[in-house]
C-alpha cells in the first residue's frame, strides 16, 4: 500500500534514507506552492549583455534617459535669436532689401556667437535677441561660405556660453538635441530630439559649395534652427545645425523628409578660431574636382582597387595640375595615409597637413588599358573664399584645409 506521498511501504518501514527523501520532497512542494503565490515578492534577474552560443547577442539592461528638459534649461541661456537685414542687387543693379533669420550659440563669455553664414550673408544690420529677451546689435567678425559658418560679436561681456571643443567620440545612434530660436517667440526656443543617423556625410549646400564631414541626424531641424546648437544629453556642444533635406533626392526621384545635417564641432572650432583671428578662413587648396570611388563600379569595370578618390578634373595651373595629377587618376594615398573616401581626404587635410607643405601622393592611373601606381610630389596651395569666388564654377568640389 502506498502512502499519500506515493512512497512505497518499503520506504515507510524501511530506512532513514526514505524518511529524509520524503522530507526533501515536502520541502520542494512547499517551495513550489510559495512560488505560485501571487502575493510572493521576487526580483527579476537583471539582463546583461553577453555573447551566447553561436555568437548570440543577449540584450543589455534598459538605460534610463536623463531629463532632457533639465539639459535644455542649462543650455538655453547661450542660445540666441538672430535677425539680419540684408541688402542685395537685382539683375538691373537696383538695391533690394531682405531679411534673414536663424539661431546662434554664444561660445565665449566675451560675446562671440557662432551661426551659419547663410543666416547673416549680406547683412548690413544684425539684431540678436538673448534668452532673457534683451535685444542688442551685433557686429559680423567674419564669415566663410565654404563652411557655412560666421562669427558675431555682441557688445559687453559676461555672457553665458557653451564651450567650443571636441567632446569625445560621437557615434551613430547617440542621442542628440537640436535647439532653435529664430524668431524669439514667447515660450522660449524650439527643442527637438533624435539620434545621430550617420557621420562623415557631404551635401551640396548651394551651387558651387559642398559641405563635408557633416553629422546626419533624424532630429527635426526646421529652417529657424539654422546656426543653432546640436548638443548631447549632457549639454555638450557637438555640432552647428545647418541644413535639412526635404522633397525628392537628387536624380533619384525618391521622396525624402526631415534628414538634417549639422557641421561637426571639430570643423566649427577650426573655422571659428580663424574667423576671430583673421576675419576670414584660409584653406589649403588642391584645385580639383573629386568623386568617391564606388567599390561596385570599380569591380564592374575591372579595376584592381576598391577604395580611393577619383580626380574628375583639375584646375589649370592649380597645385594638382602642376604636380602632374590628371583627370581620371584615383588618389589612394597622401602623405603616407591611405585614402578611401573624400571625407578621409578632407579630414586629413584639415588636421594633419599645412598649406605650402610638400606631400607625396600616390595615384592609380590607367593608360591604354593598363593600370599602374605612380607617386607624385604635391605642394598644397592656400586660398580663401574671396579668391575662390573668381573660380566658383570650376572649384565646387575644392579640397581644402585650415591653416594653423
Amino acid at each position: 500500500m502506498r502512502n499519500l506521498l506515493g512512497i512505497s511501504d518499503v520506504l515507510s518501514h524501511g530506512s532513514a534514507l526514505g524518511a529524509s527523501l520524503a522530507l526533501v520532497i515536502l520541502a520542494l512542494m512547499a517551495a513550489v506552492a510559495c512560488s505560485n503565490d501571487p502575493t510572493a515578492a521576487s526580483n527579476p534577474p537583471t539582463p546583461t549583455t553577453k555573447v551566447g552560443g553561436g555568437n548570440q547577442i543577449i540584450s543589455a539592461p534598459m538605460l534610463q534617459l536623463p531629463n532632457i528638459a533639465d539639459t535644455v534649461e542649462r543650455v538655453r541661456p547661450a542660445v540666441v535669436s538672430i535677425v539680419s537685414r540684408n541688402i542685395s542687387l537685382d539683375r538691373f543693379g537696383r538695391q533690394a532689401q531682405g531679411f534673414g533669420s536663424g539661431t546662434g550659440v554664444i561660445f565665449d563669455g566675451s560675446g562671440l556667437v557662432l551661426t551659419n553664414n547663410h543666416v547673416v550673408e549680406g547683412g548690413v544690420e544684425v539684431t540678436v535677441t538673448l534668452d532673457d529677451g534683451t535685444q542688442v546689435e551685433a557686429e559680423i567678425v567674419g564669415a566663410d561660405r565654404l563652411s557655412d559658418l560666421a562669427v558675431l560679436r555682441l557688445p559687453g561681456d559676461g555672457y553665458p556660453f557653451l564651450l567650443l571643443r571636441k567632446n569625445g567620440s560621437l557615434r551613430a545612434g547617440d542621442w542628440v538635441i537640436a535647439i532653435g530660436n529664430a524668431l524669439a517667440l514667447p515660450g522660449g526656443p524650439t527643442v527637438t530630439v533624435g539620434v545621430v543617423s550617420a557621420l562623415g556625410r557631404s551635401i551640396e549646400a548651394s551651387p558651387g559649395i559642398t559641405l563635408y564631414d557633416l553629422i546626419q541626424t533624424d532630429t527635426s531641424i526646421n529652417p529657424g534652427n539654422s546656426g543653432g546648437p546640436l548638443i548631447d544629453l549632457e549639454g555638450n556642444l557637438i555640432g552647428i545645425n545647418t541644413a535639412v533635406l526635404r522633397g525628392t533626392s537628387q536624380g533619384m526621384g525618391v521622396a525624402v523628409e526631415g534628414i538634417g545635417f549639422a557641421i561637426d564641432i571639430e570643423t566649427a572650432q577650426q573655422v571659428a578660431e580663424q574667423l576671430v583671428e583673421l576675419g576670414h578662413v584660409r584653406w589649403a587648396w588642391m584645385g580639383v574636382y573629386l568623386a568617391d570611388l564606388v567599390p561596385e563600379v570599380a569591380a564592374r569595370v575591372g579595376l584592381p582597387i576598391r577604395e580611393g578618390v577619383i580626380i574628375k578634373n583639375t584646375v589649370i595651373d592649380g597645385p594638382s595640375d602642376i604636380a602632374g595629377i590628371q583627370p581620371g587618376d584615383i588618389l589612394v594615398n597622401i602623405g603616407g595615409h591611405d585614402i578611401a573616401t573624400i571625407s578621409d581626404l578632407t579630414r586629413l587635410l584639415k588636421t594633419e597637413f599645412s598649406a605650402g607643405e610638400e606631400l607625396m601622393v600616390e595615384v592609380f592611373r590607367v593608360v591604354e588599358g593598363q593600370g599602374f601606381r605612380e607617386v607624385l610630389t604635391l605642394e598644397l596651395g592656400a586660398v580663401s573664399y574671396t579668391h575662390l569666388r573668381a573660380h566658383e564654377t570650376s572649384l565646387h568640389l575644392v579640397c581644402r584645409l585650415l591653416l594653423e
Side-chain angles (χ1 to χ4, degrees), residues 144-149 208-212 283 383-385 388 395 398 400:
D144 180 62
R145 194 176 177 193
L146 290 176
S147 60
D148 196 21
L149 289 171
I209 302 297
T210 298
L211 301 178
Y212 295 99
W283 300 99
V383 69
S384 65
Y385 175 69
L388 284 176
L395 296 177
V398 65
R400 61 213 193 267

Side-chain angles (χ1 to χ4, degrees), residues 257-279:
E257 183 66 30
I259 300 177
F261 297 92
I263 299 165
D264 74 288
I265 196 63
E266 185 176 358
T267 299
Q269 182 180 13
Q270 293 171 337
V271 171
E273 287 175 354
Q274 284 210 55
L275 291 178
V276 172
E277 181 181 353
L278 304 173

Side-chain angles (χ1 to χ4, degrees), residues 90 132 180 184:
D90 63 17
D132 62 4

Side-chain angles (χ1 to χ4, degrees), residues 104-350:
V105 56
I106 304 172
F107 67 93
D108 189 275
S110 64
L112 295 175
V113 176
L114 189 61
T115 187
N116 284 142
N117 171 72
H118 71 259
V119 172
V120 298
E121 189 172 21
V124 296
E125 182 180 280
V126 179
T127 302
V128 171
T129 304
L130 305 179
D131 184 55
D132 62 4
T134 303
Q135 289 191 341
V136 296
E137 297 300 314
E139 168 197 359
I140 299 178
V141 175
D144 180 62
R145 194 176 177 193
L146 290 176
S147 60
D148 196 21
L149 289 171
V151 172
L152 312 178
R153 187 186 301 278
L154 307 179
D157 55 16
Y159 293 93
F161 64 95
L162 291 179
L163 284 175
L164 195 60
R165 66 182 181 187
K166 190 174 181 180
N167 293 292
S169 179
L170 189 65
R171 302 178 300 168
D174 284 346
W175 287 96
V176 290
I177 306 167
I179 304 179
N181 195 15
L183 302 176
L185 298 173
T190 300
V191 178
T192 55
V193 180
V195 298
V196 174
S197 302
L199 299 170
R201 297 300 200 202
S202 61
I203 61 170
E204 188 173 18
S206 60
I209 302 297
T210 298
L211 301 178
Y212 295 99
D213 218 14
L214 300 176
I215 301 168
Q216 180 183 326
T217 176
D218 66 351
T219 307
S220 296
I221 298 179
N222 302 312
N225 288 28
S226 292
L230 186 70
I231 61 175
D232 62 21
L233 293 179
E234 296 179 354
N236 297 311
L237 184 61
I238 61 172
I240 301 297
N241 303 320
T242 189
V244 61
L245 291 184
R246 290 190 176 93
T248 56
S249 59
Q250 297 177 352
M252 298 294 292
V254 178
V256 296
E257 183 66 30
I259 300 177
F261 297 92
I263 299 165
D264 74 288
I265 196 63
E266 185 176 358
T267 299
Q269 182 180 13
Q270 293 171 337
V271 171
E273 287 175 354
Q274 284 210 55
L275 291 178
V276 172
E277 181 181 353
L278 304 173
H280 62 273
V281 178
R282 299 179 66 197
W283 300 99
W285 180 47
M286 285 184 66
V288 287
Y289 286 99
L290 301 173
D292 282 325
L293 176 64
V294 180
E296 292 81 0
V297 176
R300 190 183 315 135
V301 299
L303 290 177
I305 61 174
R306 296 292 181 267
E307 293 182 337
V309 174
I310 301 171
I311 307 298
K312 297 175 64 177
N313 207 345
T314 61
V315 176
I316 296 175
D317 294 330
S320 295
D321 183 44
I322 294 173
I325 296 175
Q326 302 174 6
D329 286 348
I330 301 174
L331 181 64
V332 295
N333 188 285
I334 181 169
H337 299 267
D338 291 336
I339 302 299
T341 64
I342 293 175
S343 291
D344 291 340
L345 179 58
T346 53
R347 188 178 299 110
L348 284 169
L349 291 174
K350 286 190 297 183

